[in-house]
Amino acid sequence: VQCGFCTPAQLLTAKALLDQSPNPSEDEIREALSGVMCRCTGYVKTVEAVQRAAAALRDETVPPIEPLEQELPADAAEVTLPKAFYRRSGERAPLPPLIYTPPEMPKTRVVGKAQKKVDAEKLVRGRPVFTDDKRPAGMLYGALLTSPHAHARIKHINADKARALPGVHAVLTHQDIPRVKYASGGQSYPNPLPYDQASLDDKVRHEGDRVAIAAAETPELAEKALRLIEVDYEILPVVLDPEEAMKAGAPIIHDEPDTEGIFDAQRNIVHRIESKVGDVDAALAAAEHVFEGEYRTPKQQQAHLEPHVCITYWDEDDRLVIRSATQVPFHIRRMVAPLIGLPVKRIRVVKPRIGGGFGNKQEMLLEDLCAHLTIATGRPVRMEYTRRQEFTSSRSRHPNIMRYKVGISAGKIVAADLYLIGDTGAYGTHGLTVQMVGGFKGLTLFNPPNARFVSDVVYTNKPPTGAFRGYGAMQCQFGINVLMAEVAEKLGLDAVKFKRDNWLKVGEPMHLSKSLGEGREGFAQKMESSGLEACVAIGLEATDYYRKREANRQQNGVIRRGIGMAVVMHGSGIAGLDMAAATLKMNDDGSFNLLIGATDLGTGSDTILAQIAAETLGIPVDDLIVYSSDTDFTPFDTGAYASSTTYISGEAVRKTALKIKAQIQEYAALLWKVDRPETLILQDRKVIAPDGRSMT
Ligand code: FES
């Protein structure tokens, strides 16, 4: 189970199949499940689960799935794989997780072990756990009118007919709410400029941009109200290509006077990022070889199965509750407050289970609109994007153009120059930070001592881009990996060895880390540990890389197969910005409430954090009641992004659990008159003294 949004449907489908066919083949299972879309899993585990369920129903023994744990040898070249993992004959059967741990890593009892997810049962049983599963009494249905034009000014808008429709409780346009500028990216305070959006504006900058909202008794009435809104557009010239957008005479997308912080609005350049280390020009001039390459990556939608969805209502204390599928509940509370004219203390944001996010729910897309409708009507309001709106009105990965130039001497990369055009679409949101991460990772993976990064982040009349797994790093590391492979080919080098000789090594400083932080100056960093050597050695073994590569060279014909090797680096958390907290409360029976602000969006972080607490307190995960992501009841957390939850929220949980552990040890030491409380062990729900005494 991952996010679990599709799981009840998978389960019902599997039940129907097994009722008819108790011993289905893999193909039959795949065919049966083909009508149930799952964004998270890739179906491998789902198919295996159906096979195991079928075997159990046939009264066959089904052994538990346990990870295979191996100790990592000191020399990565000596890593061996269990035989089944080689798959040289194209086997497809799922394999258990294979975990290599270095010998110095402490042994664990709960962390890293197979564990049923703390939310698994309610997800599998289809309990009402998602935002839209619970609807307050008297709820209205909100709907969003979006622009059919990629660039237009709203000359006139008239909602009288829509408002007159019986059953319609509110219709709001830019004329009805205060104009407060903001940036929709859910980022730490202060959000990077520019604040180039307003909840509803008198100009639209992409097809799917916001025009008006309505709330009515039924979804159909709300949609009908939208159709009755009369909008007189002055259609403006459109620019979709970021290189065209930067040219003189291109349409100016943000010509409004009240947006601050655009680098060059006349040329649609929202940010110019410049960063360098060493002397790139001199190093390139002195290099034995200089190579260049241009690489382009496309726009890509996150396509989480649960759309953006939000329900807002007033509670009995006249506080506004926002129940939302968001990755960043605390950022939403802070960001929405000025837009709706309420202080933070009168807003509560609750994140139930989320049906996937992949970065796209690190944006404030519906919360402000839904809140405006609740404020206007006094009634609970629900808003949800349609699948079409997910493509036209939410966010996507930045399409990038990357131009690399590298200097190579004696097989080493001595200089690299990267010019990056990041297409941010109609609004800036994550434009600055995504490109900074991209430039940093793209130029640090092979870490030349001379490096220069210049990026133009450019407005176009396309739906805005935002956060998506990897956050810019994927695009730039794709480019540098391809260029390094091309360089190796041209120089007659083994591409794997060439990359290995050049990738960032333990102990090396990351030359650009100080100048390229995330939206601001960063921190000097160096690589402190790395499993890359072993990882690549295992990968080469498992894929039979060299034999296949050689065999592939013998192919003729139009369609040929190839095999390549790429490496990437990724950060966990944002240095100097990310923070987390945890609360543990002990109950009468020795169980604990674990309260965490961290946001589990299907990643399993609630379970991982419970495992960390259980490991530290010597209790089973079952003894932890996990409650997360409610701004009234859980401690502050920046949210789920930057692959940080296990490390940052996890460390908050560990430190909290250590404090509780120390209190338990001290109290037990007092009762037993033991001088050194730290000698008492917490294990199996007990405190155990060195002399064998124990208490619960
Ligand atoms: S687990 Fe299937 S969509 Fe998330």
PDB file of all heavy atoms in Angstrom, residues 2-3 40 326-327 351 353-359 361 599-605 640-641:
ATOM      1  N   GLN A   2       0.691   2.101  -0.982  1.00  0.00           N
ATOM      2  CA  GLN A   2       1.399   3.386  -0.925  1.00  0.00           C
ATOM      3  C   GLN A   2       0.387   4.450  -0.508  1.00  0.00           C
ATOM      4  O   GLN A   2      -0.059   4.442   0.616  1.00  0.00           O
ATOM      5  CB  GLN A   2       2.120   3.646  -2.237  1.00  0.00           C
ATOM      6  CG  GLN A   2       3.361   2.751  -2.310  1.00  0.00           C
ATOM      7  CD  GLN A   2       4.212   3.000  -3.523  1.00  0.00           C
ATOM      8  OE1 GLN A   2       4.306   2.151  -4.374  1.00  0.00           O
ATOM      9  NE2 GLN A   2       4.837   4.135  -3.618  1.00  0.00           N
ATOM     10  N   CYS A   3      -0.025   5.342  -1.405  1.00  0.00           N
ATOM     11  CA  CYS A   3      -0.997   6.340  -0.940  1.00  0.00           C
ATOM     12  C   CYS A   3      -2.338   5.688  -0.633  1.00  0.00           C
ATOM     13  O   CYS A   3      -3.111   6.187   0.172  1.00  0.00           O
ATOM     14  CB  CYS A   3      -1.140   7.465  -1.948  1.00  0.00           C
ATOM     15  SG  CYS A   3      -2.245   7.118  -3.332  1.00  0.00           S
ATOM     16  N   CYS A  40       1.085   5.222  -8.070  1.00  0.00           N
ATOM     17  CA  CYS A  40       2.240   5.089  -7.173  1.00  0.00           C
ATOM     18  C   CYS A  40       3.046   3.816  -7.385  1.00  0.00           C
ATOM     19  O   CYS A  40       4.258   3.832  -7.254  1.00  0.00           O
ATOM     20  CB  CYS A  40       1.787   5.110  -5.720  1.00  0.00           C
ATOM     21  SG  CYS A  40       0.825   6.540  -5.232  1.00  0.00           S
ATOM     22  N   THR A 326      -2.931  18.588   1.029  1.00  0.00           N
ATOM     23  CA  THR A 326      -1.747  19.433   0.850  1.00  0.00           C
ATOM     24  C   THR A 326      -0.512  18.771   1.438  1.00  0.00           C
ATOM     25  O   THR A 326      -0.607  18.047   2.430  1.00  0.00           O
ATOM     26  CB  THR A 326      -1.943  20.813   1.511  1.00  0.00           C
ATOM     27  OG1 THR A 326      -0.719  21.548   1.419  1.00  0.00           O
ATOM     28  CG2 THR A 326      -2.321  20.707   2.984  1.00  0.00           C
ATOM     29  N   GLN A 327       0.624  19.039   0.839  1.00  0.00           N
ATOM     30  CA  GLN A 327       1.898  18.567   1.392  1.00  0.00           C
ATOM     31  C   GLN A 327       2.444  19.532   2.433  1.00  0.00           C
ATOM     32  O   GLN A 327       3.420  19.226   3.095  1.00  0.00           O
ATOM     33  CB  GLN A 327       2.937  18.422   0.265  1.00  0.00           C
ATOM     34  CG  GLN A 327       2.622  17.331  -0.734  1.00  0.00           C
ATOM     35  CD  GLN A 327       3.606  17.261  -1.881  1.00  0.00           C
ATOM     36  OE1 GLN A 327       3.197  17.057  -3.004  1.00  0.00           O
ATOM     37  NE2 GLN A 327       4.900  17.412  -1.638  1.00  0.00           N
ATOM     38  N   LYS A 351      -4.642  18.115   7.314  1.00  0.00           N
ATOM     39  CA  LYS A 351      -4.310  17.273   6.156  1.00  0.00           C
ATOM     40  C   LYS A 351      -4.698  15.833   6.478  1.00  0.00           C
ATOM     41  O   LYS A 351      -4.069  15.203   7.310  1.00  0.00           O
ATOM     42  CB  LYS A 351      -2.811  17.344   5.854  1.00  0.00           C
ATOM     43  CG  LYS A 351      -2.422  16.582   4.633  1.00  0.00           C
ATOM     44  CD  LYS A 351      -1.480  15.392   4.772  1.00  0.00           C
ATOM     45  CE  LYS A 351      -1.450  14.541   5.954  1.00  0.00           C
ATOM     46  NZ  LYS A 351      -1.185  13.110   5.722  1.00  0.00           N
ATOM     47  N   ARG A 353      -5.417  11.769   4.962  1.00  0.00           N
ATOM     48  CA  ARG A 353      -4.545  10.988   4.067  1.00  0.00           C
ATOM     49  C   ARG A 353      -4.553  11.665   2.696  1.00  0.00           C
ATOM     50  O   ARG A 353      -5.545  12.310   2.301  1.00  0.00           O
ATOM     51  CB  ARG A 353      -5.031   9.538   3.885  1.00  0.00           C
ATOM     52  CG  ARG A 353      -5.305   8.747   5.132  1.00  0.00           C
ATOM     53  CD  ARG A 353      -4.335   8.939   6.240  1.00  0.00           C
ATOM     54  NE  ARG A 353      -2.968   8.548   5.945  1.00  0.00           N
ATOM     55  CZ  ARG A 353      -1.921   8.902   6.702  1.00  0.00           C
ATOM     56  NH1 ARG A 353      -2.084   9.671   7.764  1.00  0.00           N
ATOM     57  NH2 ARG A 353      -0.723   8.486   6.396  1.00  0.00           N
ATOM     58  N   ILE A 354      -3.474  11.531   1.953  1.00  0.00           N
ATOM     59  CA  ILE A 354      -3.375  12.153   0.626  1.00  0.00           C
ATOM     60  C   ILE A 354      -3.192  11.067  -0.424  1.00  0.00           C
ATOM     61  O   ILE A 354      -2.391  10.149  -0.238  1.00  0.00           O
ATOM     62  CB  ILE A 354      -2.167  13.106   0.537  1.00  0.00           C
ATOM     63  CG1 ILE A 354      -2.272  14.207   1.587  1.00  0.00           C
ATOM     64  CG2 ILE A 354      -2.077  13.732  -0.845  1.00  0.00           C
ATOM     65  CD1 ILE A 354      -1.156  15.217   1.476  1.00  0.00           C
ATOM     66  N   GLY A 355      -3.906  11.211  -1.529  1.00  0.00           N
ATOM     67  CA  GLY A 355      -3.780  10.255  -2.629  1.00  0.00           C
ATOM     68  C   GLY A 355      -2.679  10.641  -3.595  1.00  0.00           C
ATOM     69  O   GLY A 355      -2.908  10.795  -4.785  1.00  0.00           O
ATOM     70  N   GLY A 356      -1.481  10.809  -3.083  1.00  0.00           N
ATOM     71  CA  GLY A 356      -0.321  11.150  -3.911  1.00  0.00           C
ATOM     72  C   GLY A 356      -0.194  12.649  -4.114  1.00  0.00           C
ATOM     73  O   GLY A 356      -1.190  13.385  -4.101  1.00  0.00           O
ATOM     74  N   GLY A 357       1.041  13.096  -4.275  1.00  0.00           N
ATOM     75  CA  GLY A 357       1.287  14.526  -4.483  1.00  0.00           C
ATOM     76  C   GLY A 357       2.447  14.768  -5.432  1.00  0.00           C
ATOM     77  O   GLY A 357       2.365  15.584  -6.326  1.00  0.00           O
ATOM     78  N   PHE A 358       3.562  14.067  -5.190  1.00  0.00           N
ATOM     79  CA  PHE A 358       4.748  14.134  -6.059  1.00  0.00           C
ATOM     80  C   PHE A 358       5.239  15.569  -6.251  1.00  0.00           C
ATOM     81  O   PHE A 358       5.800  15.905  -7.287  1.00  0.00           O
ATOM     82  CB  PHE A 358       4.463  13.456  -7.407  1.00  0.00           C
ATOM     83  CG  PHE A 358       3.861  12.087  -7.260  1.00  0.00           C
ATOM     84  CD1 PHE A 358       2.508  11.874  -7.454  1.00  0.00           C
ATOM     85  CD2 PHE A 358       4.647  11.010  -6.870  1.00  0.00           C
ATOM     86  CE1 PHE A 358       1.949  10.619  -7.274  1.00  0.00           C
ATOM     87  CE2 PHE A 358       4.096   9.753  -6.688  1.00  0.00           C
ATOM     88  CZ  PHE A 358       2.746   9.557  -6.895  1.00  0.00           C
ATOM     89  N   GLY A 359       4.985  16.425  -5.279  1.00  0.00           N
ATOM     90  CA  GLY A 359       5.427  17.822  -5.355  1.00  0.00           C
ATOM     91  C   GLY A 359       4.311  18.777  -5.718  1.00  0.00           C
ATOM     92  O   GLY A 359       4.340  19.947  -5.359  1.00  0.00           O
ATOM     93  N   LYS A 361       1.372  19.047  -4.692  1.00  0.00           N
ATOM     94  CA  LYS A 361       0.551  19.543  -3.590  1.00  0.00           C
ATOM     95  C   LYS A 361       1.393  20.380  -2.625  1.00  0.00           C
ATOM     96  O   LYS A 361       1.035  20.579  -1.476  1.00  0.00           O
ATOM     97  CB  LYS A 361      -0.167  18.375  -2.909  1.00  0.00           C
ATOM     98  CG  LYS A 361      -1.254  17.797  -3.827  1.00  0.00           C
ATOM     99  CD  LYS A 361      -1.937  16.572  -3.281  1.00  0.00           C
ATOM    100  CE  LYS A 361      -3.022  16.102  -4.263  1.00  0.00           C
ATOM    101  NZ  LYS A 361      -3.523  14.763  -3.946  1.00  0.00           N
ATOM    102  N   THR A 599       4.138  15.425   6.885  1.00  0.00           N
ATOM    103  CA  THR A 599       2.986  15.156   6.028  1.00  0.00           C
ATOM    104  C   THR A 599       3.202  13.884   5.220  1.00  0.00           C
ATOM    105  O   THR A 599       3.980  13.872   4.275  1.00  0.00           O
ATOM    106  CB  THR A 599       2.783  16.352   5.070  1.00  0.00           C
ATOM    107  OG1 THR A 599       2.750  17.540   5.852  1.00  0.00           O
ATOM    108  CG2 THR A 599       1.502  16.233   4.296  1.00  0.00           C
ATOM    109  N   ASP A 600       2.490  12.832   5.597  1.00  0.00           N
ATOM    110  CA  ASP A 600       2.592  11.569   4.856  1.00  0.00           C
ATOM    111  C   ASP A 600       1.667  11.653   3.648  1.00  0.00           C
ATOM    112  O   ASP A 600       0.453  11.736   3.780  1.00  0.00           O
ATOM    113  CB  ASP A 600       2.167  10.422   5.782  1.00  0.00           C
ATOM    114  CG  ASP A 600       2.404   9.055   5.161  1.00  0.00           C
ATOM    115  OD1 ASP A 600       2.488   8.966   3.923  1.00  0.00           O
ATOM    116  OD2 ASP A 600       2.498   8.068   5.919  1.00  0.00           O
ATOM    117  N   LEU A 601       2.241  11.659   2.447  1.00  0.00           N
ATOM    118  CA  LEU A 601       1.399  11.761   1.253  1.00  0.00           C
ATOM    119  C   LEU A 601       1.375  10.449   0.487  1.00  0.00           C
ATOM    120  O   LEU A 601       1.251  10.423  -0.732  1.00  0.00           O
ATOM    121  CB  LEU A 601       1.837  12.915   0.346  1.00  0.00           C
ATOM    122  CG  LEU A 601       3.251  12.934  -0.197  1.00  0.00           C
ATOM    123  CD1 LEU A 601       3.261  13.669  -1.532  1.00  0.00           C
ATOM    124  CD2 LEU A 601       4.182  13.642   0.748  1.00  0.00           C
ATOM    125  N   GLY A 602       1.519   9.361   1.250  1.00  0.00           N
ATOM    126  CA  GLY A 602       1.549   8.047   0.625  1.00  0.00           C
ATOM    127  C   GLY A 602       2.939   7.453   0.653  1.00  0.00           C
ATOM    128  O   GLY A 602       3.169   6.338   0.203  1.00  0.00           O
ATOM    129  N   THR A 603       3.864   8.220   1.212  1.00  0.00           N
ATOM    130  CA  THR A 603       5.256   7.785   1.262  1.00  0.00           C
ATOM    131  C   THR A 603       5.519   6.826   2.409  1.00  0.00           C
ATOM    132  O   THR A 603       6.572   6.201   2.455  1.00  0.00           O
ATOM    133  CB  THR A 603       6.166   9.005   1.453  1.00  0.00           C
ATOM    134  OG1 THR A 603       5.642   9.769   2.549  1.00  0.00           O
ATOM    135  CG2 THR A 603       6.182   9.875   0.224  1.00  0.00           C
ATOM    136  N   GLY A 604       4.599   6.753   3.367  1.00  0.00           N
ATOM    137  CA  GLY A 604       4.817   5.886   4.524  1.00  0.00           C
ATOM    138  C   GLY A 604       5.541   6.582   5.652  1.00  0.00           C
ATOM    139  O   GLY A 604       6.014   5.934   6.584  1.00  0.00           O
ATOM    140  N   SER A 605       5.613   7.914   5.615  1.00  0.00           N
ATOM    141  CA  SER A 605       6.424   8.589   6.635  1.00  0.00           C
ATOM    142  C   SER A 605       5.823   8.434   8.032  1.00  0.00           C
ATOM    143  O   SER A 605       6.566   8.365   9.015  1.00  0.00           O
ATOM    144  CB  SER A 605       6.636  10.062   6.288  1.00  0.00           C
ATOM    145  OG  SER A 605       5.426  10.772   6.302  1.00  0.00           O
ATOM    146  N   ALA A 640       6.074  18.101   3.583  1.00  0.00           N
ATOM    147  CA  ALA A 640       6.708  16.982   2.888  1.00  0.00           C
ATOM    148  C   ALA A 640       7.275  17.469   1.572  1.00  0.00           C
ATOM    149  O   ALA A 640       6.545  17.651   0.600  1.00  0.00           O
ATOM    150  CB  ALA A 640       5.691  15.873   2.651  1.00  0.00           C
ATOM    151  N   TYR A 641       8.554  17.732   1.542  1.00  0.00           N
ATOM    152  CA  TYR A 641       9.239  18.027   0.286  1.00  0.00           C
ATOM    153  C   TYR A 641      10.731  17.896   0.510  1.00  0.00           C
ATOM    154  O   TYR A 641      11.191  17.721   1.645  1.00  0.00           O
ATOM    155  CB  TYR A 641       8.872  19.404  -0.276  1.00  0.00           C
ATOM    156  CG  TYR A 641       9.056  20.586   0.652  1.00  0.00           C
ATOM    157  CD1 TYR A 641      10.290  21.189   0.807  1.00  0.00           C
ATOM    158  CD2 TYR A 641       7.978  21.101   1.352  1.00  0.00           C
ATOM    159  CE1 TYR A 641      10.453  22.281   1.633  1.00  0.00           C
ATOM    160  CE2 TYR A 641       8.130  22.194   2.187  1.00  0.00           C
ATOM    161  CZ  TYR A 641       9.370  22.788   2.324  1.00  0.00           C
ATOM    162  OH  TYR A 641       9.526  23.862   3.148  1.00  0.00           O
TER     163      TYR A 641
END
